[in-house]
Amino acid sequence: MSDLEQRVAETIRSRKMILPGDRVAVALSGGKDSTVLLMILCRLLPAWDDVRLTALTIDEGIHGYREDTIHSAERLVGKYGIDHIRISFADLFGGSLDEILKDRQSEACSVCGILRRKALIVAARRAGATRLATGHNLDDEAQSVLMNLLRGDLPRLVRDSSHSSSGQFIPRIKPLGLVSEKEIATYLMLQGAWVDLPECPYTLHALRREVRAMLSTLEYQYPGTMLHLMESKRKIKGYCGEETLAGPIRSCRECGEPCSGEICQFCQLRQSLGR
Ligand code: SF4
Ligand code: ZN
């Protein structure tokens, strides 16, 4: 087992991310992070008691981008022989992301994120999943911390969806959360699995793009910056408490799904899109 695989196994074990009998749905976009996540989970699978994996691929409908990554996802599940559920925005929401955005392209990532989260929940339920694993890495997580701080969004900063004591939602796990983007790229190259994939055209509009560039520079000049950001989040949450900052989890007035306000983000978006 490689050093990276051992570290991911240790993260999963120490944080009790996967337990015997779990049905783990793996969000597989076909990009680098989710590819590495699925590869490592498939390698660890024989050591776990009665754990089953199902890959979930959401086709947002982004012309010139998603075709290649979906093809890559299909090749991977074929290689490992695991179940695969594929759902498109067009099937679920009546249109592709390209169609839904029209003249709202500057909001692409927030619209895409809300709809993708919804699509993943639908797909994970279809898979009978008890956990939903995503390929977020350390860079993604540190970027999210900084973005939430820049927006003054403390509830989102501390909200933890990795456990659900009330059973209101499928717990989300991020086994690569302490693995950097560079380590993921290196792993793919060493495994001979590196594939050049196109970049989403909407990243041009994302605040994340600027935060990512800034954090990469800082991490290069001051190694450990990203881990320190994660530590800051943990301390803020520890000192103030999740419920104090984020409030209790309620049920959306419209759809009944768990949310922090009266209406969930999905229902708010659906209303604003007039769908
Ligand atoms: Fe969606 Fe934005 Fe990611 Fe493109 S970059 S897939 S629009 S979240
Ligand atoms: Zn709702």
Side-chain angles (χ1 to χ4, degrees):
M1 204 188 284
S2 74
D3 172 58
L4 183 66
E5 288 164 330
Q6 280 179 30
R7 275 173 50 209
V8 174
E10 177 54 22
T11 301
I12 293 172
R13 193 197 60 74
S14 63
R15 300 189 180 192
K16 295 187 173 60
M17 288 182 173
I18 297 176
L19 299 173
D22 264 331
R23 298 291 172 259
V24 183
V26 186
L28 178 68
S29 68
K32 296 179 186 67
D33 303 326
S34 62
T35 295
V36 168
L37 175 64
L38 192 72
M39 286 169 73
I40 294 180
L41 291 183
C42 284
R43 285 187 189 163
L44 299 177
L45 194 59
W48 292 328
D49 270 350
D50 188 30
V51 171
R52 212 173 65 211
L53 301 180
T54 303
L56 313 178
T57 299
I58 309 303
D59 180 0
E60 298 90 348
I62 304 173
H63 182 65
Y65 164 64
R66 284 308 265 136
E67 299 85 349
D68 285 1
T69 46
I70 286 173
H71 189 55
S72 185
E74 281 170 345
R75 269 204 315 268
L76 198 66
V77 288
K79 178 177 168 189
Y80 288 104
I82 60 169
D83 295 337
H84 191 199
I85 293 177
R86 188 175 148 175
I87 292 184
S88 72
F89 277 15
D91 292 340
L92 274 185
F93 311 123
S96 66
L97 185 67
D98 289 338
E99 289 164 346
I100 291 168
L101 288 175
K102 285 186 207 137
D103 52 357
R104 304 177 59 145
Q105 298 198 343
S106 60
E107 299 166 62
C109 289
S110 70
V111 172
C112 178
I114 292 168
L115 296 181
R116 181 152 17 86
R117 269 195 296 281
K118 182 72 176 178
L120 277 173
I121 291 167
V122 171
R125 285 191 182 136
R126 272 187 207 171
T130 54
R131 311 268 162 179
L132 174 56
T134 61
H136 293 90
N137 60 40
L138 175 61
D139 297 53
D140 299 326
E141 293 294 277
Q143 287 157 22
S144 295
V145 171
L146 190 51
M147 285 166 69
N148 286 327
L149 287 170
L150 290 172
R151 290 176 176 139
D153 193 342
L154 290 184
R156 190 173 289 182
L157 175 74
V158 298
R159 182 64 86 201
D160 183 1
S161 52
S162 66
H163 60 270
S164 169
S165 47
S166 57
Q168 281 169 296
F169 55 87
I170 301 171
R172 285 177 165 238
I173 57 170
K174 299 173 182 173
L176 303 183
L178 296 175
V179 179
S180 73
E181 213 169 86
K182 274 189 193 148
E183 290 175 298
I184 286 173
T186 308
Y187 180 84
L188 276 174
M189 285 177 197
L190 291 175
Q191 298 293 321
W194 176 269
V195 191
D196 259 327
L197 293 169
E199 194 177 18
C200 174
Y202 297 118
T203 46
L204 284 173
H205 300 284
L207 166 67
R208 187 175 285 273
R209 190 185 176 94
E210 290 170 46
V211 167
R212 180 184 173 183
M214 186 169 79
L215 266 183
S216 298
T217 308
L218 286 173
E219 180 68 34
Y220 180 73
Q221 291 174 342
Y222 308 100
T225 296
M226 290 199 263
L227 281 172
H228 293 153
L229 266 175
M230 299 309 297
E231 187 59 14
S232 302
K233 170 184 166 168
R234 195 186 64 77
K235 284 182 178 160
I236 291 172
K237 192 173 147 191
Y239 292 146
C240 304
E242 183 181 336
E243 197 156 322
T244 310
L245 288 174
I249 295 184
R250 308 184 203 172
S251 295
C252 170
R253 202 175 64 202
E254 299 286 322
C255 69
E257 291 287 342
C259 67
S260 38
E262 292 263 301
I263 302 180
C264 74
Q265 283 187 314
F266 173 72
C267 289
Q268 286 174 27
L269 177 63
R270 192 171 51 180
Q271 285 170 5
S272 82
L273 293 171
R275 283 171 185 259

